[in-house]
Amino acid sequence: MSAPLADRIRPRSLDEIVGQHHLLDPGKPLVRIIESGQIPNMVFYGPSGIGKTTLASIIAARTSRKLVRMNGTTASTADIRNVVNQLDTLEAPNGVLLYLDEIQYFNKKQQQTLLEFIENGSITLIASTTENPYFYVYGAILSRSTVFEFKPVQKEDVREAVKRAFGILEQEQHRGIKAEPAALDVIASACGGDVRKAMNAVELCALSGEERDGVCHVSEQLARDLTQRSAMKYDRVGDEHYDILSAFQKSMRGSDPDAALHYLARLLEAGDLPSACRRLMVCACEDVGLAYPQIIPIVKAAVDTALQVGLPEARIPLADAVVLVCCSPKSNSAYCAIDAAIADLRAGKSGPIPRQLQNKHYDGEDNPRKGQFYQYAHNFPHHWVRQQYLPDILKDTVYYRWGENKTEQAFRKYWAEIKKEE
């Protein structure tokens, strides 16, 4: 059984790697490190299919150390011990270059097992992860490593790799393969920056293209049929999940309905209706808030409708609500106020509740000033009377500050006129 195309045409030099210009263009620090031959401990962080493993293999070929590959999803502590047992033997006289893929699946104890040998230089570690290493990699290993972030490969770079892949398949299969320029664009766009995914699409296109006069023709429509939805990158518990949710809310907060609808579409295409609904309701309260307080029940009604009808129809009420949030005036005054109140509470600023607010109607014999002294606001003009509500330690503290929007300024004017009468 032949290896996948992505493995058969894996680059063997830095020049053949597509993308990652911020790391691998001539003169970049990582290139100079590799060319020096003195390889430090490194962590490669980024999505799958963008060259992390390929670069590690190229680095290994430039060193005199034995290359050992391990994958965090399958390796055990026994596998780590086997690597350690090779040190200072004829099998690995110059030490080991350990490429550990998916290091986030190693638990803390497994990572600690490597620490001593990383520290004394017996093992040089190149680890890769698709998750944020600052959350998933043991701090002591991170402190002894340099993190390099890999980016999704740009469409233009992927297109060149796709074109090259069709050429290699022509040589392997001893036949012509003619891919329409638009088909190359579709594959390059649909892979979402994942070169491995693009190579898989190329191989499928070559297998299913229309044969005419001994030539395999790959049309734009065929490429679309084979790559539809393949650009979706989504992991409900990974970085991509939180990045999309973050972009979704920030786009609504930034009053950009086009961007917000794009991220809503990504959530719904991934089937993540609950996350879309939750973040939409949070944004209505946090970012629109008192500038348009009626939006809260409106968005809640849209979310209830979406959850009741389910996908795909749920997209309609949610789109209505998203556009409404984007186009509404914004205020985070209440959000800031509650956070300030919580901060004071966590700092120990609380104190006894004022006597007039307590749920008591009697006094002990030791109280020299008997009586609750609560003043019922509705018994006074405009249903308001001045009295102390905050504990003594927080007396005169201001948490809520009027927003500049029309609604809150109307409230401010109303209360300013009433309270100055007292």
Side-chain angles (χ1 to χ4, degrees):
M1 182 177 180
S2 62
L5 177 63
D7 288 333
R8 300 202 304 272
I9 67 171
R10 189 181 295 277
R12 291 176 172 78
S13 69
L14 294 179
D15 295 337
E16 293 179 356
I17 297 179
V18 297
Q20 311 310 327
H21 298 291
H22 64 296
L23 296 177
L24 300 178
D25 276 359
K28 293 293 184 181
L30 180 55
V31 173
R32 293 200 298 269
I33 290 171
I34 296 171
E35 289 174 346
S36 74
Q38 302 298 313
I39 308 301
N41 300 305
M42 296 184 285
V43 175
F44 293 165
Y45 161 48
S48 59
I50 58 174
K52 301 188 299 297
T53 301
T54 297
L55 181 58
S57 299
I58 292 172
I59 292 173
R62 290 172 174 255
T63 71
S64 58
R65 295 193 159 201
K66 178 181 179 181
L67 174 65
V68 176
R69 298 175 184 268
M70 294 172 60
N71 191 293
T73 60
T74 57
S76 65
T77 304
D79 294 319
I80 299 173
R81 284 198 296 266
N82 289 336
V83 173
V84 172
N85 290 337
Q86 296 177 28
L87 298 174
D88 300 323
T89 66
L90 292 176
E91 195 171 1
N94 298 313
V96 167
L97 176 65
L98 172 62
Y99 177 63
L100 177 54
D101 198 11
E102 305 290 358
I103 189 176
Q104 72 269 18
Y105 292 108
F106 259 29
N107 60 38
K108 184 176 179 180
K109 182 178 179 181
Q110 288 175 307
Q111 293 186 40
Q112 284 177 320
T113 304
L114 294 169
L115 190 58
E116 174 188 349
F117 304 98
I118 292 173
E119 194 165 24
N120 65 25
S122 300
I123 293 177
T124 298
L125 175 68
I126 300 179
S128 73
T129 175
T130 56
E131 305 294 349
N132 191 325
Y134 299 102
F135 294 158
Y136 290 92
V137 179
Y138 182 44
I141 287 182
L142 274 183
S143 69
R144 293 162 175 80
S145 307
T146 302
V147 177
F148 291 97
E149 183 175 0
F150 285 60
K151 307 286 187 182
V153 181
Q154 295 298 309
K155 173 186 172 182
E156 296 75 17
D157 293 321
V158 177
R159 193 182 191 281
E160 290 303 311
V162 169
K163 189 175 180 180
R164 172 173 170 261
F166 275 121
I168 291 174
L169 285 177
E170 278 189 310
Q171 296 174 11
E172 289 183 349
Q173 298 176 8
H174 306 292
R175 63 167 182 164
I177 300 177
K178 186 176 181 179
E180 296 178 2
L184 301 181
D185 292 334
V186 167
I187 297 172
S189 298
C191 71
D194 185 331
V195 180
R196 184 188 300 117
K197 187 178 289 186
M199 296 301 100
N200 292 339
V202 167
E203 199 160 24
L204 287 173
C205 286
L207 289 172
S208 56
E210 182 181 355
E211 289 280 347
R212 294 200 304 268
D213 301 324
V215 176
C216 173
H217 291 264
V218 178
S219 67
E220 176 185 3
Q221 187 58 50
L222 176 63
R224 290 192 184 281
D225 292 342
L226 293 175
T227 59
Q228 59 180 326
R229 293 177 63 93
S230 69
M232 286 294 300
K233 281 181 172 289
Y234 197 75
D235 180 350
R236 285 177 184 258
V237 297
D239 286 352
E240 191 72 18
H241 167 77
Y242 296 106
D243 285 347
I244 292 176
L245 290 178
S246 176
F248 180 44
Q249 182 163 354
K250 288 172 181 173
S251 297
M252 288 188 286
R253 179 185 298 146
S255 304
D256 189 330
D258 300 308
L261 288 170
H262 168 77
Y263 294 115
L264 173 65
R266 289 172 71 162
L267 289 167
L268 298 184
E269 282 295 285
D272 196 355
L273 181 59
S275 292
C277 291
R278 178 182 179 276
R279 196 55 67 105
L280 178 55
M281 289 191 292
V282 168
C283 193
C285 298
E286 177 183 342
D287 298 308
V288 177
L290 297 179
Y292 178 33
Q294 298 93 326
I295 199 172
I296 297 174
I298 293 173
V299 169
K300 177 62 165 59
V303 165
D304 287 345
T305 302
L307 293 174
Q308 187 171 27
V309 302
L311 290 169
E313 289 82 0
R315 74 190 189 282
I316 303 169
L318 291 185
D320 290 337
V322 164
V323 172
L324 179 63
V325 169
C326 289
C327 297
S328 295
K330 304 296 189 293
S331 173
N332 67 342
S333 56
Y335 168 79
C336 292
I338 185 59
D339 278 1
I342 290 172
D344 270 356
L345 187 64
R346 290 175 177 172
K349 297 179 181 179
S350 55
I353 294 173
R355 176 68 181 88
Q356 65 270 20
L357 302 185
Q358 294 176 9
N359 188 30
K360 292 183 180 179
H361 304 285
Y362 64 90
D363 294 287
E365 291 299 324
D366 58 340
N367 190 345
R369 186 170 182 263
K370 293 181 171 53
Q372 188 167 16
F373 310 108
Y374 170 63
Q375 300 184 79
Y376 187 56
H378 296 296
N379 290 339
F380 295 84
H382 307 295
H383 306 269
W384 180 82
V385 62
R386 190 180 302 279
Q387 63 183 326
Q388 181 182 334
Y389 291 94
L390 279 168
D392 290 341
I393 191 175
L394 293 170
K395 184 179 179 181
D396 299 325
T397 298
V398 176
Y399 292 126
Y400 173 68
R401 301 185 184 279
W402 303 104
E404 297 178 356
N405 57 83
K406 181 179 178 180
T407 301
E408 289 181 85
Q409 285 301 307
F411 290 159
R412 183 197 64 77
K413 182 178 179 182
Y414 171 81
W415 284 108
E417 291 176 354
I418 291 175
K419 292 183 179 181
K420 71 183 179 182
E421 296 176 0
E422 185 68 17

